[in-house]
Amino acid sequence: MTSSTDTSSPAGARERLLDAAEALIYAGGIHATGVDAIVRESGTARKSFYTHFGSKDALIAAALERRDERWMNWFIDGTHTRGKTPRTRLLAMFDTLREWFESADFHGCAFLNASGEIADPNDPVRAVARYHKERLLAFVLEQCKEFAATSGATRVNPARTERLARQWLILIDGAIGVALVSGDAHAADDARHAAEQLLSTHPAHAPDAGHVKPRRAVTRSRT
């Protein structure tokens, strides 16, 4: 998709700095990427960097915020396109991930990568990464709630549904990490299979197990 922003304008310079920062940091890491390299890659003047951001941390945080918005839109659209029911949407998340894993520019999760380089939990970069995972979890939880509501259970247990969402996020991030290290996009398929098993054993999959009447003891005749 081509941006309509005029790259000769101040706003255009800002976008080019964000583009350059995101690309270089995602490919090579935060500490390995200096401001000079970002400015050079963007084709802007160093003055533009100070005008729009003032510090490397502020630029990185802004670049990650923009990536969060774009990535979440892509992931949500891919999930809804591939799945038409709550269950199929949950599983479609892994099909969407596989598409990403197979792309030439896949270098793992930019937010996990950034968090691994920044020790301070209060750093603005860590804050953006945490916000991204909160948004992802919220989307997963929304799908889990819909799955529970349509499961036929007589009572939905919110705690179990929230636990399912957290487990789902672990499967998502786990698949991303394995795909990054191994270079094998099949990590998405393995995570999908594990997710299917998780759904099959989850209380929301069947009538509420917590309210099943105990079986009456059967007395066998001794004759």
Side-chain angles (χ1 to χ4, degrees):
M1 181 180 296
T2 303
S3 172
S4 60
T5 304
D6 179 6
T7 57
S8 64
S9 68
R14 184 180 189 277
E15 291 300 307
R16 284 154 59 191
L17 284 164
L18 288 170
D19 287 340
E22 182 181 341
L24 292 176
I25 289 166
Y26 184 54
I30 295 174
H31 296 318
T33 304
V35 171
D36 288 341
I38 295 171
V39 170
R40 184 166 56 250
E41 179 69 18
S42 70
T44 64
R46 193 177 182 88
K47 180 181 178 181
S48 295
F49 162 73
Y50 289 112
T51 298
H52 292 292
F53 301 103
S55 71
K56 179 181 173 181
D57 284 350
L59 171 57
I60 294 169
L64 286 175
E65 286 175 353
R66 193 180 63 161
R67 183 180 182 88
D68 162 67
E69 187 66 23
R70 188 177 68 252
W71 193 93
M72 285 300 303
N73 287 338
W74 165 81
F75 188 68
I76 291 171
D77 289 346
T79 296
H80 282 285
T81 298
R82 291 176 171 86
K84 303 306 178 185
T85 66
R87 185 180 189 278
T88 58
R89 281 196 293 274
L90 282 167
L91 296 175
M93 293 180 187
F94 301 99
D95 301 326
T96 304
L97 288 177
R98 174 158 186 164
E99 174 191 313
W100 182 34
F101 297 168
E102 291 176 337
S103 64
D105 62 347
F106 171 70
H107 301 294
C109 173
F111 305 92
L112 291 177
N113 296 347
S115 294
E117 292 197 67
I118 304 297
D120 182 2
N122 298 314
D123 186 280
V125 172
R126 285 283 295 271
V128 175
R130 188 161 51 249
Y131 173 69
H132 170 74
K133 293 304 177 184
E134 289 170 353
R135 286 190 69 191
L136 181 54
L137 179 61
F139 173 62
V140 171
L141 179 58
E142 177 186 337
Q143 304 310 310
C144 288
K145 286 180 177 178
E146 291 185 15
F147 168 72
T150 59
S151 66
T154 58
R155 181 178 64 88
V156 174
N157 187 316
R160 286 174 176 169
T161 303
E162 291 171 5
R163 182 185 303 163
L164 176 63
R166 294 193 300 271
Q167 291 169 330
W168 215 261
L169 180 61
I170 290 171
L171 286 175
I172 289 172
D173 281 339
I176 294 171
V178 171
L180 171 64
V181 175
S182 68
D184 188 352
H186 286 95
D189 303 330
D190 294 336
R192 191 184 198 279
H193 180 70
E196 289 175 332
Q197 297 299 310
L198 186 59
L199 288 183
S200 70
T201 59
H202 193 268
H205 183 73
D208 192 354
H211 285 71
V212 175
K213 293 181 179 179
R215 291 184 178 181
R216 181 176 299 175
V218 176
T219 303
R220 296 185 180 276
S221 174
R222 294 179 179 272
T223 59

